[in-house]
Amino acid sequence: MTSSGVRLSMSRGGVFLGARPLAPGEPAAAVIAGLPFDGTCSFRPGSRFAPAAVRDVSAGLESFSLARERDLEDLDFGDAGDLELPFGNPAAALAAVGRLADRLFDTCAFPLFIGGEHLVSLPLIAAARRRHPDLAVLQFDAHADLRDEYLGERLSHATVMRRAAEIVGPENLCQFGIRSGAREELEYGRRHTRWHPFSLAAVPAVLSELGDRPLYLSVDLDVLDPGCFPGTGTPEPGGVSVVDLLAALAHLADRRVVGADLVELSPPCDPAGFSPLVAAKIARELLLVSPTFTAS
Ligand code: MN
Ligand code: MN
C-alpha cells in the first residue's frame, strides 16, 4: 500500500515483453498497468483475466516491430503490475482506477492501461482531461457505448462513452468502427460526437483536423472482427481486421497521444488462445508509436 492508497501486485503473467518491473511510484517514460475489472459486464465476463494473459503471451513476440522499425528495447518502459480492485463495488473500483491514473499521468509521459471491461476508461479519460483541458478522445469500438443508462445503471460498459462525452464534451469524442447500437445512440452520435461508423478509414482525416491537440486513445478490442478476435465478451460480426487496426495505429506516430487503453479482451471466450496475442501485438505497436519513443 502506498500513501496514495493505490495497491498494485505483479501479474501472474509476469511482466510485459521486456519491460522493467516498476516499484510503486517509480518513474518510466512509458508504463503499462493492468486493470482486471469486469464487474458490469453484460454478457460474458472474463476480461479481469486479460492483463495476465497479455503479459503471458507477450514473451512470444519480438521486441522489434518490423512495420515500425522500432524496438521496445530503445524505450524507457516499465510494467507497474495490476491494480488490486475491490470485488462487487464498481464505484470503489473506478475510484481506485482514477487514483492510479492520477499517479501515472503525473509520473510518466505515456501510460498504457490493459483492461478489464470498457468502463475502466471513464476514470482514465477523466484523469487525462484534468491535465489537458483541450483533450480529444479517440474510441475504436464495435459498440457506440452511448446509452444514457443500461438496465437502470448509468455506469456500465454500455454507457461509458456517454459519460466520457459529458466530461470532455461530445464534440471532442471521435468514434470509429461502430457497427452496433440502439437508435438513441445513433441519434446522439450523429448529432453530437464525431461519428465515423463501420471502419477506421476516417482516422487520418480526423487526426489532421485535430492537429496537435492532446489525444487519449481507447481501444475496445471488439472493434476487431470476431473471426480474428473471438476473445471478447460482446462479439459483433462484421468488424475490422488486425491489419486495419495496425494501420490506424500507425497514423498515431508523432501525434500527441497522452495515454491509451486496451479493453474488453476476455481470454476465456477464446479457447484457442489467439486473442491475447493479438492484444499483446497491438500493445507493442501502441508503445512504439507513443511520443515517448526515443530510438537511438
Ligand atoms: Mn465494444
Ligand atoms: Mn466499448
Side-chain angles (χ1 to χ4, degrees):
M1 180 72 82
T2 68
S3 57
S4 60
V6 175
R7 188 194 289 268
L8 292 126
S9 58
M10 279 328 288
S11 167
R12 287 186 300 267
V15 293
F16 186 81
L17 182 57
R20 179 159 54 90
L22 295 178
E26 183 182 349
V31 174
I32 197 164
L35 305 172
F37 175 74
D38 57 15
T40 81
C41 185
S42 55
F43 186 35
R44 302 189 299 189
S47 62
R48 74 181 66 176
F49 304 116
V54 169
R55 289 184 175 93
D56 184 37
V57 300
S58 70
L61 288 173
E62 300 281 359
S63 64
F64 180 71
S65 165
L66 202 61
R68 302 276 68 75
E69 300 187 17
R70 290 176 171 181
D71 198 316
L72 274 184
E73 291 182 351
D74 299 321
L75 182 65
D76 173 27
F77 159 52
D79 189 332
D82 285 349
L83 183 63
E84 292 189 3
L85 292 165
F87 284 101
N89 189 338
L94 296 181
V97 171
R99 288 193 295 274
L100 174 66
D102 279 333
R103 178 204 283 174
L104 291 185
F105 279 117
D106 286 342
T107 56
C108 79
F110 183 74
L112 172 58
F113 300 92
I114 309 291
E117 62 159 76
H118 209 165
L119 185 57
V120 300
S121 300
L122 184 60
L124 302 176
I125 290 168
R129 162 78 179 195
R130 284 195 286 278
R131 287 153 184 82
H132 304 284
D134 55 342
L135 187 75
V137 174
L138 312 178
Q139 175 198 2
F140 297 173
D141 203 328
H143 309 93
D145 295 347
L146 288 173
R147 282 178 159 88
D148 193 38
E149 61 173 49
Y150 187 67
L151 305 177
E153 281 295 325
R154 286 173 57 79
L155 287 178
S156 153
H157 69 158
T159 67
V160 59
M161 286 299 156
R162 182 69 170 264
R163 297 289 90 80
E166 290 164 358
I167 293 170
V168 302
E171 69 280 11
N172 300 311
L173 172 61
C174 313
Q175 300 186 281
F176 303 95
I178 314 297
R179 57 188 184 276
S180 175
R183 183 180 294 278
E184 71 160 285
E185 298 181 272
L186 172 65
E187 289 170 356
Y188 184 94
R190 272 192 182 149
R191 185 168 304 169
H192 299 295
T193 75
R194 298 189 194 223
W195 178 254
H196 299 282
F198 302 115
S199 83
L200 306 179
V203 168
V206 171
L207 288 174
S208 295
E209 287 170 27
L210 295 171
D212 64 354
R213 287 179 58 184
L215 308 173
Y216 182 89
L217 174 65
S218 186
V219 180
D220 182 332
L221 289 158
D222 67 26
V223 72
L224 292 164
D225 190 83
C228 58
F229 191 83
T232 193
T234 44
E236 182 68 30
V240 307
S241 70
V242 175
V243 172
D244 293 335
L245 180 50
L246 291 173
L249 298 183
H251 289 288
L252 293 170
D254 307 316
R255 296 283 173 180
R256 225 178 125 199
V257 186
V258 299
D261 62 62
L262 296 177
V263 296
E264 297 287 353
L265 164 64
S266 179
C269 296
D270 178 5
F274 177 64
S275 302
L277 188 59
V278 173
K281 182 162 183 172
I282 300 295
R284 184 192 71 189
E285 296 299 291
L286 256 177
L287 289 161
L288 293 177
V289 298
S290 73
T292 54
F293 190 82
T294 50
S296 54

